[in-house]
PDB file of all heavy atoms in Angstrom:
ATOM      1  N   VAL A  16    -177.274  91.729 -84.857  1.00  0.00           N
ATOM      2  CA  VAL A  16    -177.134  92.434 -86.125  1.00  0.00           C
ATOM      3  C   VAL A  16    -177.020  91.433 -87.287  1.00  0.00           C
ATOM      4  O   VAL A  16    -177.721  91.524 -88.261  1.00  0.00           O
ATOM      5  CB  VAL A  16    -175.943  93.362 -86.082  1.00  0.00           C
ATOM      6  CG1 VAL A  16    -175.557  93.850 -87.534  1.00  0.00           C
ATOM      7  CG2 VAL A  16    -176.253  94.583 -85.183  1.00  0.00           C
ATOM      8  N   ARG A  17    -176.088  90.496 -87.140  1.00  0.00           N
ATOM      9  CA  ARG A  17    -175.846  89.478 -88.156  1.00  0.00           C
ATOM     10  C   ARG A  17    -177.135  88.691 -88.430  1.00  0.00           C
ATOM     11  O   ARG A  17    -177.362  88.287 -89.572  1.00  0.00           O
ATOM     12  CB  ARG A  17    -174.755  88.535 -87.701  1.00  0.00           C
ATOM     13  CG  ARG A  17    -174.316  87.493 -88.735  1.00  0.00           C
ATOM     14  CD  ARG A  17    -173.218  86.646 -88.166  1.00  0.00           C
ATOM     15  NE  ARG A  17    -172.014  87.406 -87.888  1.00  0.00           N
ATOM     16  CZ  ARG A  17    -171.161  87.164 -86.920  1.00  0.00           C
ATOM     17  NH1 ARG A  17    -171.433  86.161 -86.086  1.00  0.00           N
ATOM     18  NH2 ARG A  17    -170.094  87.890 -86.755  1.00  0.00           N
ATOM     19  N   GLY A  18    -177.931  88.439 -87.388  1.00  0.00           N
ATOM     20  CA  GLY A  18    -179.162  87.674 -87.569  1.00  0.00           C
ATOM     21  C   GLY A  18    -180.323  88.481 -88.032  1.00  0.00           C
ATOM     22  O   GLY A  18    -181.481  88.006 -88.056  1.00  0.00           O
ATOM     23  N   SER A  19    -180.107  89.805 -88.375  1.00  0.00           N
ATOM     24  CA  SER A  19    -181.126  90.695 -88.892  1.00  0.00           C
ATOM     25  C   SER A  19    -182.290  90.839 -88.011  1.00  0.00           C
ATOM     26  O   SER A  19    -183.501  90.839 -88.397  1.00  0.00           O
ATOM     27  CB  SER A  19    -181.617  90.179 -90.264  1.00  0.00           C
ATOM     28  OG  SER A  19    -180.586  90.132 -91.212  1.00  0.00           O
ATOM     29  N   ASN A  20    -182.042  91.003 -86.649  1.00  0.00           N
ATOM     30  CA  ASN A  20    -183.087  91.211 -85.695  1.00  0.00           C
ATOM     31  C   ASN A  20    -182.859  92.585 -85.081  1.00  0.00           C
ATOM     32  O   ASN A  20    -182.072  92.783 -84.153  1.00  0.00           O
ATOM     33  CB  ASN A  20    -183.067  90.143 -84.587  1.00  0.00           C
ATOM     34  CG  ASN A  20    -184.272  90.217 -83.706  1.00  0.00           C
ATOM     35  OD1 ASN A  20    -184.717  91.260 -83.309  1.00  0.00           O
ATOM     36  ND2 ASN A  20    -184.860  89.054 -83.393  1.00  0.00           N
ATOM     37  N   PRO A  21    -183.542  93.644 -85.643  1.00  0.00           N
ATOM     38  CA  PRO A  21    -183.279  94.987 -85.154  1.00  0.00           C
ATOM     39  C   PRO A  21    -183.689  95.228 -83.718  1.00  0.00           C
ATOM     40  O   PRO A  21    -183.029  96.012 -82.998  1.00  0.00           O
ATOM     41  CB  PRO A  21    -184.103  95.837 -86.090  1.00  0.00           C
ATOM     42  CG  PRO A  21    -185.174  94.933 -86.657  1.00  0.00           C
ATOM     43  CD  PRO A  21    -184.512  93.600 -86.729  1.00  0.00           C
ATOM     44  N   ASP A  22    -184.748  94.604 -83.217  1.00  0.00           N
ATOM     45  CA  ASP A  22    -185.142  94.771 -81.854  1.00  0.00           C
ATOM     46  C   ASP A  22    -184.139  94.189 -80.908  1.00  0.00           C
ATOM     47  O   ASP A  22    -183.844  94.873 -79.876  1.00  0.00           O
ATOM     48  CB  ASP A  22    -186.556  94.133 -81.658  1.00  0.00           C
ATOM     49  CG  ASP A  22    -187.641  94.790 -82.451  1.00  0.00           C
ATOM     50  OD1 ASP A  22    -187.578  96.045 -82.587  1.00  0.00           O
ATOM     51  OD2 ASP A  22    -188.500  94.137 -82.955  1.00  0.00           O
ATOM     52  N   ALA A  23    -183.675  93.056 -81.151  1.00  0.00           N
ATOM     53  CA  ALA A  23    -182.670  92.443 -80.282  1.00  0.00           C
ATOM     54  C   ALA A  23    -181.343  93.230 -80.302  1.00  0.00           C
ATOM     55  O   ALA A  23    -180.728  93.490 -79.235  1.00  0.00           O
ATOM     56  CB  ALA A  23    -182.381  90.975 -80.642  1.00  0.00           C
ATOM     57  N   ALA A  24    -180.972  93.711 -81.459  1.00  0.00           N
ATOM     58  CA  ALA A  24    -179.767  94.485 -81.615  1.00  0.00           C
ATOM     59  C   ALA A  24    -179.846  95.761 -80.822  1.00  0.00           C
ATOM     60  O   ALA A  24    -178.947  96.161 -80.093  1.00  0.00           O
ATOM     61  CB  ALA A  24    -179.488  94.829 -83.057  1.00  0.00           C
ATOM     62  N   LEU A  25    -181.026  96.461 -80.912  1.00  0.00           N
ATOM     63  CA  LEU A  25    -181.253  97.654 -80.140  1.00  0.00           C
ATOM     64  C   LEU A  25    -181.239  97.419 -78.654  1.00  0.00           C
ATOM     65  O   LEU A  25    -180.701  98.230 -77.873  1.00  0.00           O
ATOM     66  CB  LEU A  25    -182.527  98.308 -80.614  1.00  0.00           C
ATOM     67  CG  LEU A  25    -182.829  99.726 -80.057  1.00  0.00           C
ATOM     68  CD1 LEU A  25    -181.743 100.734 -80.523  1.00  0.00           C
ATOM     69  CD2 LEU A  25    -184.213 100.210 -80.551  1.00  0.00           C
ATOM     70  N   TYR A  26    -181.847  96.272 -78.259  1.00  0.00           N
ATOM     71  CA  TYR A  26    -181.882  95.932 -76.860  1.00  0.00           C
ATOM     72  C   TYR A  26    -180.479  95.797 -76.279  1.00  0.00           C
ATOM     73  O   TYR A  26    -180.149  96.386 -75.195  1.00  0.00           O
ATOM     74  CB  TYR A  26    -182.584  94.621 -76.641  1.00  0.00           C
ATOM     75  CG  TYR A  26    -182.436  93.958 -75.254  1.00  0.00           C
ATOM     76  CD1 TYR A  26    -183.167  94.499 -74.221  1.00  0.00           C
ATOM     77  CD2 TYR A  26    -181.543  92.947 -75.039  1.00  0.00           C
ATOM     78  CE1 TYR A  26    -183.047  93.932 -72.929  1.00  0.00           C
ATOM     79  CE2 TYR A  26    -181.389  92.424 -73.763  1.00  0.00           C
ATOM     80  CZ  TYR A  26    -182.135  92.911 -72.688  1.00  0.00           C
ATOM     81  OH  TYR A  26    -181.948  92.422 -71.462  1.00  0.00           O
ATOM     82  N   TRP A  27    -179.563  95.036 -76.980  1.00  0.00           N
ATOM     83  CA  TRP A  27    -178.254  94.834 -76.452  1.00  0.00           C
ATOM     84  C   TRP A  27    -177.412  96.152 -76.471  1.00  0.00           C
ATOM     85  O   TRP A  27    -176.626  96.411 -75.558  1.00  0.00           O
ATOM     86  CB  TRP A  27    -177.499  93.723 -77.218  1.00  0.00           C
ATOM     87  CG  TRP A  27    -178.081  92.401 -76.919  1.00  0.00           C
ATOM     88  CD1 TRP A  27    -178.742  91.543 -77.785  1.00  0.00           C
ATOM     89  CD2 TRP A  27    -178.103  91.711 -75.642  1.00  0.00           C
ATOM     90  NE1 TRP A  27    -179.141  90.442 -77.117  1.00  0.00           N
ATOM     91  CE2 TRP A  27    -178.764  90.452 -75.828  1.00  0.00           C
ATOM     92  CE3 TRP A  27    -177.606  92.049 -74.406  1.00  0.00           C
ATOM     93  CZ2 TRP A  27    -178.971  89.591 -74.799  1.00  0.00           C
ATOM     94  CZ3 TRP A  27    -177.714  91.106 -73.369  1.00  0.00           C
ATOM     95  CH2 TRP A  27    -178.408  89.907 -73.555  1.00  0.00           C
ATOM     96  N   LEU A  28    -177.653  97.023 -77.474  1.00  0.00           N
ATOM     97  CA  LEU A  28    -176.922  98.260 -77.479  1.00  0.00           C
ATOM     98  C   LEU A  28    -177.346  99.108 -76.269  1.00  0.00           C
ATOM     99  O   LEU A  28    -176.477  99.638 -75.578  1.00  0.00           O
ATOM    100  CB  LEU A  28    -177.244  99.011 -78.782  1.00  0.00           C
ATOM    101  CG  LEU A  28    -176.689 100.469 -78.820  1.00  0.00           C
ATOM    102  CD1 LEU A  28    -175.155 100.403 -79.008  1.00  0.00           C
ATOM    103  CD2 LEU A  28    -177.335 101.253 -79.932  1.00  0.00           C
ATOM    104  N   VAL A  29    -178.639  99.191 -76.036  1.00  0.00           N
ATOM    105  CA  VAL A  29    -179.126  99.989 -74.919  1.00  0.00           C
ATOM    106  C   VAL A  29    -178.667  99.401 -73.577  1.00  0.00           C
ATOM    107  O   VAL A  29    -178.322 100.090 -72.619  1.00  0.00           O
ATOM    108  CB  VAL A  29    -180.641 100.187 -74.966  1.00  0.00           C
ATOM    109  CG1 VAL A  29    -181.177 100.853 -73.707  1.00  0.00           C
ATOM    110  CG2 VAL A  29    -181.026 100.943 -76.250  1.00  0.00           C
ATOM    111  N   ARG A  30    -178.671  98.055 -73.473  1.00  0.00           N
ATOM    112  CA  ARG A  30    -178.206  97.413 -72.252  1.00  0.00           C
ATOM    113  C   ARG A  30    -176.794  97.851 -71.955  1.00  0.00           C
ATOM    114  O   ARG A  30    -176.423  98.137 -70.789  1.00  0.00           O
ATOM    115  CB  ARG A  30    -178.240  95.891 -72.420  1.00  0.00           C
ATOM    116  CG  ARG A  30    -179.544  95.208 -71.967  1.00  0.00           C
ATOM    117  CD  ARG A  30    -179.681  95.113 -70.488  1.00  0.00           C
ATOM    118  NE  ARG A  30    -178.589  94.390 -69.837  1.00  0.00           N
ATOM    119  CZ  ARG A  30    -178.533  93.105 -69.709  1.00  0.00           C
ATOM    120  NH1 ARG A  30    -179.515  92.327 -70.183  1.00  0.00           N
ATOM    121  NH2 ARG A  30    -177.526  92.503 -69.084  1.00  0.00           N
ATOM    122  N   MET A  31    -175.922  97.867 -72.956  1.00  0.00           N
ATOM    123  CA  MET A  31    -174.511  98.248 -72.768  1.00  0.00           C
ATOM    124  C   MET A  31    -174.354  99.695 -72.421  1.00  0.00           C
ATOM    125  O   MET A  31    -173.591 100.093 -71.536  1.00  0.00           O
ATOM    126  CB  MET A  31    -173.674  97.865 -73.977  1.00  0.00           C
ATOM    127  CG  MET A  31    -173.710  96.351 -74.291  1.00  0.00           C
ATOM    128  SD  MET A  31    -172.392  95.907 -75.488  1.00  0.00           S
ATOM    129  CE  MET A  31    -170.954  95.994 -74.430  1.00  0.00           C
ATOM    130  N   LEU A  32    -175.127 100.546 -73.073  1.00  0.00           N
ATOM    131  CA  LEU A  32    -175.078 101.996 -72.756  1.00  0.00           C
ATOM    132  C   LEU A  32    -175.581 102.195 -71.344  1.00  0.00           C
ATOM    133  O   LEU A  32    -174.977 102.976 -70.575  1.00  0.00           O
ATOM    134  CB  LEU A  32    -175.932 102.738 -73.779  1.00  0.00           C
ATOM    135  CG  LEU A  32    -175.358 102.846 -75.199  1.00  0.00           C
ATOM    136  CD1 LEU A  32    -176.418 103.486 -76.108  1.00  0.00           C
ATOM    137  CD2 LEU A  32    -174.076 103.668 -75.246  1.00  0.00           C
ATOM    138  N   ASP A  33    -176.657 101.586 -70.970  1.00  0.00           N
ATOM    139  CA  ASP A  33    -177.223 101.644 -69.649  1.00  0.00           C
ATOM    140  C   ASP A  33    -176.238 101.170 -68.542  1.00  0.00           C
ATOM    141  O   ASP A  33    -176.165 101.709 -67.495  1.00  0.00           O
ATOM    142  CB  ASP A  33    -178.525 100.827 -69.581  1.00  0.00           C
ATOM    143  CG  ASP A  33    -179.133 100.890 -68.182  1.00  0.00           C
ATOM    144  OD1 ASP A  33    -179.535 102.000 -67.786  1.00  0.00           O
ATOM    145  OD2 ASP A  33    -179.282  99.830 -67.531  1.00  0.00           O
ATOM    146  N   GLY A  34    -175.442 100.151 -68.958  1.00  0.00           N
ATOM    147  CA  GLY A  34    -174.474  99.618 -67.984  1.00  0.00           C
ATOM    148  C   GLY A  34    -173.163 100.404 -67.915  1.00  0.00           C
ATOM    149  O   GLY A  34    -172.328 100.091 -67.112  1.00  0.00           O
ATOM    150  N   GLY A  35    -172.985 101.397 -68.765  1.00  0.00           N
ATOM    151  CA  GLY A  35    -171.768 102.232 -68.647  1.00  0.00           C
ATOM    152  C   GLY A  35    -170.703 101.943 -69.673  1.00  0.00           C
ATOM    153  O   GLY A  35    -169.576 102.397 -69.536  1.00  0.00           O
ATOM    154  N   ALA A  36    -171.043 101.206 -70.743  1.00  0.00           N
ATOM    155  CA  ALA A  36    -170.067 100.966 -71.794  1.00  0.00           C
ATOM    156  C   ALA A  36    -169.715 102.283 -72.430  1.00  0.00           C
ATOM    157  O   ALA A  36    -170.534 103.143 -72.617  1.00  0.00           O
ATOM    158  CB  ALA A  36    -170.601  99.961 -72.785  1.00  0.00           C
ATOM    159  N   ASP A  37    -168.445 102.396 -72.916  1.00  0.00           N
ATOM    160  CA  ASP A  37    -167.997 103.561 -73.604  1.00  0.00           C
ATOM    161  C   ASP A  37    -168.646 103.652 -74.974  1.00  0.00           C
ATOM    162  O   ASP A  37    -168.401 102.781 -75.820  1.00  0.00           O
ATOM    163  CB  ASP A  37    -166.470 103.544 -73.718  1.00  0.00           C
ATOM    164  CG  ASP A  37    -165.900 104.786 -74.391  1.00  0.00           C
ATOM    165  OD1 ASP A  37    -166.717 105.663 -74.807  1.00  0.00           O
ATOM    166  OD2 ASP A  37    -164.690 104.899 -74.475  1.00  0.00           O
ATOM    167  N   PRO A  38    -169.483 104.650 -75.273  1.00  0.00           N
ATOM    168  CA  PRO A  38    -170.085 104.748 -76.618  1.00  0.00           C
ATOM    169  C   PRO A  38    -169.074 104.747 -77.747  1.00  0.00           C
ATOM    170  O   PRO A  38    -169.424 104.311 -78.844  1.00  0.00           O
ATOM    171  CB  PRO A  38    -170.939 106.054 -76.541  1.00  0.00           C
ATOM    172  CG  PRO A  38    -171.165 106.251 -75.080  1.00  0.00           C
ATOM    173  CD  PRO A  38    -169.942 105.735 -74.386  1.00  0.00           C
ATOM    174  N   ARG A  39    -167.913 105.314 -77.494  1.00  0.00           N
ATOM    175  CA  ARG A  39    -166.905 105.340 -78.568  1.00  0.00           C
ATOM    176  C   ARG A  39    -166.415 103.937 -78.910  1.00  0.00           C
ATOM    177  O   ARG A  39    -166.155 103.663 -80.090  1.00  0.00           O
ATOM    178  CB  ARG A  39    -165.678 106.235 -78.178  1.00  0.00           C
ATOM    179  CG  ARG A  39    -166.059 107.731 -78.058  1.00  0.00           C
ATOM    180  CD  ARG A  39    -164.862 108.558 -77.546  1.00  0.00           C
ATOM    181  NE  ARG A  39    -165.211 109.974 -77.524  1.00  0.00           N
ATOM    182  CZ  ARG A  39    -165.818 110.517 -76.507  1.00  0.00           C
ATOM    183  NH1 ARG A  39    -166.199 109.758 -75.403  1.00  0.00           N
ATOM    184  NH2 ARG A  39    -166.136 111.789 -76.500  1.00  0.00           N
ATOM    185  N   TYR A  40    -166.300 103.107 -77.897  1.00  0.00           N
ATOM    186  CA  TYR A  40    -165.976 101.721 -78.201  1.00  0.00           C
ATOM    187  C   TYR A  40    -167.075 101.039 -78.970  1.00  0.00           C
ATOM    188  O   TYR A  40    -166.850 100.337 -79.956  1.00  0.00           O
ATOM    189  CB  TYR A  40    -165.739 100.944 -76.855  1.00  0.00           C
ATOM    190  CG  TYR A  40    -165.603  99.471 -77.028  1.00  0.00           C
ATOM    191  CD1 TYR A  40    -164.395  98.928 -77.412  1.00  0.00           C
ATOM    192  CD2 TYR A  40    -166.721  98.606 -76.866  1.00  0.00           C
ATOM    193  CE1 TYR A  40    -164.293  97.566 -77.612  1.00  0.00           C
ATOM    194  CE2 TYR A  40    -166.568  97.249 -77.091  1.00  0.00           C
ATOM    195  CZ  TYR A  40    -165.403  96.694 -77.425  1.00  0.00           C
ATOM    196  OH  TYR A  40    -165.293  95.378 -77.674  1.00  0.00           O
ATOM    197  N   LEU A  41    -168.310 101.300 -78.607  1.00  0.00           N
ATOM    198  CA  LEU A  41    -169.420 100.708 -79.313  1.00  0.00           C
ATOM    199  C   LEU A  41    -169.468 101.202 -80.771  1.00  0.00           C
ATOM    200  O   LEU A  41    -169.773 100.453 -81.666  1.00  0.00           O
ATOM    201  CB  LEU A  41    -170.768 101.078 -78.593  1.00  0.00           C
ATOM    202  CG  LEU A  41    -170.942 100.373 -77.243  1.00  0.00           C
ATOM    203  CD1 LEU A  41    -172.207 100.935 -76.546  1.00  0.00           C
ATOM    204  CD2 LEU A  41    -171.035  98.904 -77.327  1.00  0.00           C
ATOM    205  N   ALA A  42    -169.121 102.508 -80.979  1.00  0.00           N
ATOM    206  CA  ALA A  42    -169.128 103.052 -82.273  1.00  0.00           C
ATOM    207  C   ALA A  42    -168.091 102.267 -83.181  1.00  0.00           C
ATOM    208  O   ALA A  42    -168.345 101.971 -84.333  1.00  0.00           O
ATOM    209  CB  ALA A  42    -168.790 104.518 -82.264  1.00  0.00           C
ATOM    210  N   ARG A  43    -166.935 102.025 -82.603  1.00  0.00           N
ATOM    211  CA  ARG A  43    -165.905 101.314 -83.348  1.00  0.00           C
ATOM    212  C   ARG A  43    -166.398  99.916 -83.740  1.00  0.00           C
ATOM    213  O   ARG A  43    -166.145  99.413 -84.833  1.00  0.00           O
ATOM    214  CB  ARG A  43    -164.561 101.205 -82.505  1.00  0.00           C
ATOM    215  CG  ARG A  43    -163.898 102.553 -82.303  1.00  0.00           C
ATOM    216  CD  ARG A  43    -162.481 102.327 -81.861  1.00  0.00           C
ATOM    217  NE  ARG A  43    -162.397 101.628 -80.549  1.00  0.00           N
ATOM    218  CZ  ARG A  43    -162.412 102.263 -79.396  1.00  0.00           C
ATOM    219  NH1 ARG A  43    -162.579 103.592 -79.340  1.00  0.00           N
ATOM    220  NH2 ARG A  43    -162.295 101.562 -78.259  1.00  0.00           N
ATOM    221  N   ARG A  44    -167.052  99.229 -82.757  1.00  0.00           N
ATOM    222  CA  ARG A  44    -167.545  97.870 -83.020  1.00  0.00           C
ATOM    223  C   ARG A  44    -168.638  97.899 -84.073  1.00  0.00           C
ATOM    224  O   ARG A  44    -168.753  96.988 -84.912  1.00  0.00           O
ATOM    225  CB  ARG A  44    -168.034  97.214 -81.751  1.00  0.00           C
ATOM    226  CG  ARG A  44    -166.948  96.882 -80.765  1.00  0.00           C
ATOM    227  CD  ARG A  44    -165.943  95.901 -81.330  1.00  0.00           C
ATOM    228  NE  ARG A  44    -166.547  94.656 -81.712  1.00  0.00           N
ATOM    229  CZ  ARG A  44    -166.437  93.556 -81.011  1.00  0.00           C
ATOM    230  NH1 ARG A  44    -165.750  93.511 -79.897  1.00  0.00           N
ATOM    231  NH2 ARG A  44    -167.021  92.369 -81.417  1.00  0.00           N
ATOM    232  N   ILE A  45    -169.470  98.967 -84.078  1.00  0.00           N
ATOM    233  CA  ILE A  45    -170.567  99.055 -85.069  1.00  0.00           C
ATOM    234  C   ILE A  45    -169.999  99.258 -86.428  1.00  0.00           C
ATOM    235  O   ILE A  45    -170.415  98.644 -87.442  1.00  0.00           O
ATOM    236  CB  ILE A  45    -171.474 100.204 -84.651  1.00  0.00           C
ATOM    237  CG1 ILE A  45    -172.257  99.892 -83.361  1.00  0.00           C
ATOM    238  CG2 ILE A  45    -172.407 100.582 -85.820  1.00  0.00           C
ATOM    239  CD1 ILE A  45    -173.021 101.045 -82.737  1.00  0.00           C
TER     240      ILE A  45
END
């Protein structure tokens, strides 16, 4: 995100969701 790369940012978000990360935690970090 900081590096302004939307594709990489989306990749890591989906990786974490796919792996079982709590979306509420991700929302707080976002």
Side-chain angles (χ1 to χ4, degrees):
V16 165
R17 183 181 296 147
S19 300
N20 191 316
D22 295 323
L25 189 60
Y26 168 79
W27 289 114
L28 175 71
V29 173
R30 271 285 301 275
M31 297 194 76
L32 290 171
D33 179 64
D37 182 357
R39 292 177 179 84
Y40 171 82
L41 293 174
R43 293 196 298 273
R44 290 300 298 257
I45 289 167

